[in-house]
């Protein structure tokens, strides 16, 4: 069984759970959640049921209860051609595909299913680094918004040593200079308030990174991105604006 991995739209302070997420407190622009599995129905625990049986119960719940927005039933198929077509739907919010066995029960905390995510490359501007600027460990990236302000969009995974050395030759610390991120703190990771120790650099270097299509409400990449290549040949003014496609 394959189901589309779609991009739910939540408020930034909302944490979806295994059960249907509450709609209370969310604004109308973010009231959408794709439902792809069912582990409890009334007083019945469905965890031991096979995925095929849980899926049938989920479809029955939507039909019997007449569930509509903010909930949508995530599409599911066993047809390979249909699954391949879904991978072309990134522009409308499909992040990729999840593959699950028909006969498998729900295993909390165990990744027994597989995920195939849509990935693409995008350009971004290096605005800060972790580690020394001469040999950065990760890059903090940004894009200009339509008002021309450099907005944070995400952080790379740890860099290979050789790449780090090459980057160090192209980066200039912004110590004592005006910088759009002066005074800003950055979180060390998703769902943590632990601050990162960063070094601001002149936002002059463009890099190309491999990203998936998962974004948060501000348009930032939700997951760490992978450095693909350096783009010293590209001007920062040529990088897509925050909110543009890509």
């Amino acid at each position: 069984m394959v189901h589309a991995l779609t991009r739910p739209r939540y408020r930034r302070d909302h944490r979806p759970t295994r059960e249907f997420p509450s709609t209370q407190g969310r604004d109308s622009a973010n009231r959408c959640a794709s439902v792809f599995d069912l582990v409890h129905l009334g007083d019945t625990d469905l965890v031991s049921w096979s995925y095929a049986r849980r899926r049938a119960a989920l479809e029955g719940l939507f039909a019997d209860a007449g569930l509509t927005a903010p909930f949508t039933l995530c599409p599911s198929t066993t047809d390979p051609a249909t699954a391949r077509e879904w991978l072309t739907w990134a522009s409308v919010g499909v992040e990729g595909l999840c593959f699950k066995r028909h006969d498998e029960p729900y295993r909390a905390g165990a990744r027994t299913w597989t995920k195939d995510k849509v990935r693409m490359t995008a350009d971004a501007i290096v605005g800060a680094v972790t580690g020394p600027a001469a040999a950065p460990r990760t890059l903090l990236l940004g894009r200009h918004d339509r008002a021309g302000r450099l907005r944070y969009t995400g952080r790379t995974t740890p860099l290979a040593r050789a790449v780090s050395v090459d980057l160090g030759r192209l980066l200039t610390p912004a110590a004592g200079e005006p910088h759009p991120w002066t005074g800003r703190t950055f979180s060390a990771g998703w769902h943590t308030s632990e601050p990162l120790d960063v070094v601001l650099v002149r936002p002059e270097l463009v890099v190309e990174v491999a990203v998936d299509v998962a974004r948060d409400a501000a348009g930032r990449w939700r997951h760490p991105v992978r450095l693909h290549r350096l783009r010293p040949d590209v001007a920062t003014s040529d990088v897509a604006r925050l909110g543009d496609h890509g």
Side-chain angles (χ1 to χ4, degrees), residues 110-184:
R111 180 65 67 85
T112 57
W113 44 274
T114 59
K115 181 189 297 183
D116 186 6
K117 303 196 77 173
V118 176
R119 300 197 71 86
M120 59 186 70
T121 60
D123 289 339
I125 302 164
V126 182
V129 303
T130 61
R137 299 188 186 98
T138 65
L139 306 178
L140 280 71
L141 306 174
R143 282 180 167 182
H144 292 110
D145 61 19
R146 297 191 182 280
R149 296 167 296 191
L150 185 66
R151 296 298 187 91
Y152 176 66
T153 54
R155 184 159 66 107
T156 68
T157 55
L159 304 171
R161 181 175 178 80
V163 175
S164 175
V165 171
D166 288 342
L167 273 162
R169 299 189 184 104
L170 299 173
L171 297 173
T172 302
E177 301 177 8
H179 192 285
W181 294 348
T182 297
R184 169 161 185 177

Side-chain angles (χ1 to χ4, degrees), residues 55-90:
R55 175 71 192 196
L58 178 61
E59 292 174 354
L61 175 63
F62 266 77
D64 297 342
L67 288 179
T68 57
F71 304 112
T72 182
L73 180 62
C74 188
S76 182
T77 186
T78 57
D79 177 44
T82 300
R84 284 192 294 269
E85 181 184 358
W86 287 346
L87 286 173
T88 68
W89 291 3

Side-chain angles (χ1 to χ4, degrees), residues 168-246:
R169 299 189 184 104
L170 299 173
L171 297 173
T172 302
E177 301 177 8
H179 192 285
W181 294 348
T182 297
R184 169 161 185 177
T185 59
F186 297 89
S187 170
W190 189 253
H191 289 182
T192 177
S193 59
E194 179 186 351
L196 274 177
D197 185 11
V198 305
V199 176
L200 299 180
V201 298
R202 292 179 183 172
E204 301 170 338
L205 178 64
V206 176
V207 294
E208 184 178 356
V209 290
V211 303
D212 61 39
V213 298
R215 309 288 176 91
D216 69 10
R220 297 173 296 217
W221 296 305
R222 273 195 340 180
H223 305 129
V225 302
R226 296 182 182 276
L227 181 66
H228 183 61
R229 58 175 173 159
L230 311 184
R231 297 301 308 270
D233 56 312
V234 176
T236 58
S237 58
D238 291 332
V239 175
R241 299 274 174 170
L242 186 66
D244 290 348
H245 180 69

Side-chain angles (χ1 to χ4, degrees), residues 1-3 36-37 46-56 76-78 97-107 110-115:
M1 180 77 76
V2 182
H3 69 72
F36 58 88
D37 208 340
L46 313 187
V47 168
S48 64
W49 290 17
S50 67
Y51 177 70
R53 190 178 175 193
R54 297 197 314 275
R55 175 71 192 196
S76 182
T77 186
T78 57
L97 304 177
C98 287
F99 298 81
K100 295 188 176 184
R101 292 177 57 92
H102 270 194
D103 58 353
E104 194 163 67
Y106 183 88
R107 302 183 188 277
R111 180 65 67 85
T112 57
W113 44 274
T114 59
K115 181 189 297 183

